[in-house]
Amino acid sequence: MDGKESPTATAAHQGSGENIGEKRNSITHDISHYDDHGADTELHRSLSTRHLTMIALGSSIGMGLWLGSGLSLASGGPAGIFLGYCLAGSMIWCVSHSIGEMACMYPLPSAFVQWTGKFVDESAAFALGWSYWFSYCITIANELQSANTVIKFWTSAVPVAAWISIWFVVIVLINVGAVTLFGEIEVIASTIKFGWIFVVIISMIVISAGGASLPPIGFRYWNEMAFTNGFKGFLSVMPTCIFAMSGSENAGLVAAETKNPRKSVPRAVGSIWLRLSLFYLIGSLMITITVSPQNDDLFGSSGTNASPFVIAYRDSGIPVLAHMMNAVILISVISTGSISGYGGSRTTMGLAYLGMAPKVMQKADKTGRPWYGLVPTFILGGGLAYLNVSESGASVFGWFSNLTSLFTLFGWGMICLSHIRFRYAWARQGHTADELPWKSWIYPYGPWWGLVMCFLLIIVQFYLAVWPLGESSSAENFFANYISVIVIVILWLGARVYYRGPWWVDLDTIQLDEGRRFYTDDVEKPRVPGVKGALKRTAGAIFN
């Protein structure tokens, strides 16, 4: 990476003593800092802890959970989908802790792409950056086609292409505003999703107990068909579970635009357990006690292709909640599409800092919008969305979710590997964990668990691509479901030919201060008394 441009470790390394946050000693002429500094880019640090926490809490809750869980329920059964989310949840828990530690130290525009280039290998960073950028484009397309599927619950009178165009414009407008506008919209959307999940949990328990027009259900479907297609059915739900949780790593990208990553990032990581337990684990459990895996109206089946949550309300005779649920799903998919545009543009900026994308992509305008990354991201993402015009929503979802889940597994694996190698380099160069601005309490077991599971699930998806569930083996099916790995390998090997050199970055020569954020010591705030203080301490215990 020698010779490549990157965000500077600190303005003092280049400044004249007149930079904001610097002070020159009049006798020794040494420069000292009285403010946080380093890891600076043309992006603006205008997002707060509130923005990052809410984005981490609910921004990636989209079609993977609300719609894709129906496909998983039909393929894997009640036990299959619940165990799938448990396994995927354990992985993202570990990945999030790695992100937390790294993002506090190196809050860079493309986060894990630049971490990979710094601690693993340039070629791996090239493959990860461009494959992840494509993954963000795919997610935009997938969320747009999902919005069309959601709208069909109300009407089929408007052409598919028209709905895709309408929601595409909405997503673009969210991203072309100031980053604070994007942050506020994501906070509102996450608040709606977070509040609604409590309605879902309470109402579905009532429905399952026989409190609506249906007789009591309880765990009937668990007893009758816990695994609808055996072990292979369980394996088949994993791509959808991974896809549902993809985007959780976006907190690492947003850290580059927060005022104080050391404060914001740990709070965001601390909220992960709420999302995992409320949305994925309890949310998936709720549909297993209210909806039959053999319901023909489930997404991907022969009926109306509806969300299992909507089906539960509709079949129990509560149309008001069915319509409200559908509205929340619509908000969710637009929110997820929006943050995918954000992630794609920041990824190209990080690639440009590594010298792996045109240098102009480092630029942002005076409000912090990286136009040279936003435009190509939306052109490709919007273009792919129109595939839904000639294909069924479930078919497009299957293609895109398999592609995205493989890119996600590669990204999660690189995050964990970067964290492991960062710690090794940190120790070998004479530092201790106590010097870190925030340290993960599950290291080293967490990143190693995440890395190994990512590797194993890539093998599982190879097995499912060769021998798919309910279909005969074919070259067309294999390439449709496993092309992501082929793309990653081609990008990696192509970059190896270009960059040459060793396969690994030498841990002893890594410039640990390059791209690092330096923090001033916190002044201890007085303890807040009374009820307000108790509430603040309770919130701190929950999120930290």
Side-chain angles (χ1 to χ4, degrees), residues 47 175 179 182 253-254 257 338-346 374:
L47 297 179
N175 276 269
V179 70
F182 163 82
L253 304 179
V254 180
E257 295 182 70
S338 171
I339 200 167
S340 296
Y342 176 96
S345 62
R346 272 62 180 180
L374 281 171

Side-chain angles (χ1 to χ4, degrees), residues 197-231:
I197 195 65
F198 291 101
V199 177
V200 169
I201 293 170
I202 295 171
S203 59
M204 290 204 171
I205 290 175
V206 172
I207 292 171
S208 184
S213 60
L214 295 175
I217 299 173
F219 286 87
R220 182 200 311 167
Y221 303 129
W222 282 74
N223 295 327
E224 294 177 354
M225 54 189 95
F227 293 95
T228 52
N229 290 287
F231 183 66

Side-chain angles (χ1 to χ4, degrees), residues 47 50-51 54-55 178-188:
L47 297 179
R50 175 176 61 91
H51 291 118
M54 293 307 295
I55 288 172
V179 70
T180 50
L181 172 65
F182 163 82
E184 291 300 332
I185 291 175
E186 288 299 320
V187 166
I188 293 171

Side-chain angles (χ1 to χ4, degrees), residues 157-416:
V158 181
V160 172
W163 280 123
I164 291 176
S165 300
I166 291 170
W167 299 121
F168 178 64
V169 170
V170 172
I171 291 175
V172 170
L173 289 176
I174 293 173
N175 276 269
V176 299
V179 70
T180 50
L181 172 65
F182 163 82
E184 291 300 332
I185 291 175
E186 288 299 320
V187 166
I188 293 171
S190 295
T191 302
I192 292 172
K193 287 180 275 188
F194 185 67
W196 181 253
I197 195 65
F198 291 101
V199 177
V200 169
I201 293 170
I202 295 171
S203 59
M204 290 204 171
I205 290 175
V206 172
I207 292 171
S208 184
S213 60
L214 295 175
I217 299 173
F219 286 87
R220 182 200 311 167
Y221 303 129
W222 282 74
N223 295 327
E224 294 177 354
M225 54 189 95
F227 293 95
T228 52
N229 290 287
F231 183 66
K232 189 173 184 179
F234 164 67
L235 294 180
S236 71
V237 309
M238 290 309 303
T240 307
C241 291
I242 296 297
F243 173 75
M245 294 188 180
S246 65
S248 302
E249 62 276 15
N250 287 330
L253 304 179
V254 180
E257 295 182 70
T258 56
K259 298 173 183 176
N260 186 352
R262 181 170 62 172
K263 177 182 177 183
S264 303
V265 172
R267 181 66 61 90
V269 171
S271 71
I272 294 297
W273 74 269
L274 278 174
R275 180 176 58 189
L276 292 177
S277 58
L278 288 176
F279 286 97
Y280 296 113
L281 302 187
I282 300 179
S284 63
L285 180 62
M286 290 302 102
I287 63 171
T288 67
I289 62 175
T290 52
V291 181
S292 169
Q294 297 178 338
N295 192 308
D296 290 334
D297 289 333
L298 283 171
F299 184 69
S301 299
S302 59
T304 58
N305 272 320
S307 161
F309 297 91
V310 174
I311 292 172
Y313 291 133
R314 186 191 61 192
D315 291 352
S316 58
I318 315 177
V320 173
L321 287 180
H323 287 290
M324 292 176 68
M325 180 76 246
N326 215 50
V328 171
I329 295 173
L330 182 59
I331 292 171
S332 298
V333 298
I334 298 304
S335 167
T336 305
S338 171
I339 200 167
S340 296
Y342 176 96
S345 62
R346 272 62 180 180
T347 297
T348 56
M349 176 177 272
L351 284 167
Y353 275 113
L354 289 172
M356 299 173 181
K359 187 176 180 181
V360 71
M361 287 186 168
Q362 295 180 11
K363 302 294 184 181
D365 65 13
K366 61 182 180 181
T367 62
R369 293 170 296 191
W371 285 104
Y372 294 101
L374 281 171
V375 172
T377 299
F378 280 119
I379 288 176
L380 182 57
L384 289 172
Y386 288 95
L387 287 174
N388 192 36
V389 174
S390 58
E391 298 287 346
S392 73
S395 297
V396 175
F397 174 84
W399 300 338
F400 284 167
S401 62
N402 283 328
L403 292 173
T404 303
S405 63
L406 284 165
F407 285 137
T408 299
L409 287 172
F410 179 49
W412 289 1
M414 286 295 102
I415 290 169
C416 293

Side-chain angles (χ1 to χ4, degrees), residues 119-121 417 421 496 501-506:
F119 296 105
V120 181
D121 173 54
L417 183 58
R421 288 182 59 80
R496 286 294 314 159
W503 284 86
W504 296 95
V505 172
D506 185 352

Side-chain angles (χ1 to χ4, degrees), residues 48-66:
S48 66
T49 300
R50 175 176 61 91
H51 291 118
L52 185 55
T53 300
M54 293 307 295
I55 288 172
L57 187 62
S59 65
S60 63
I61 306 294
M63 66 170 298
L65 174 65
W66 300 128

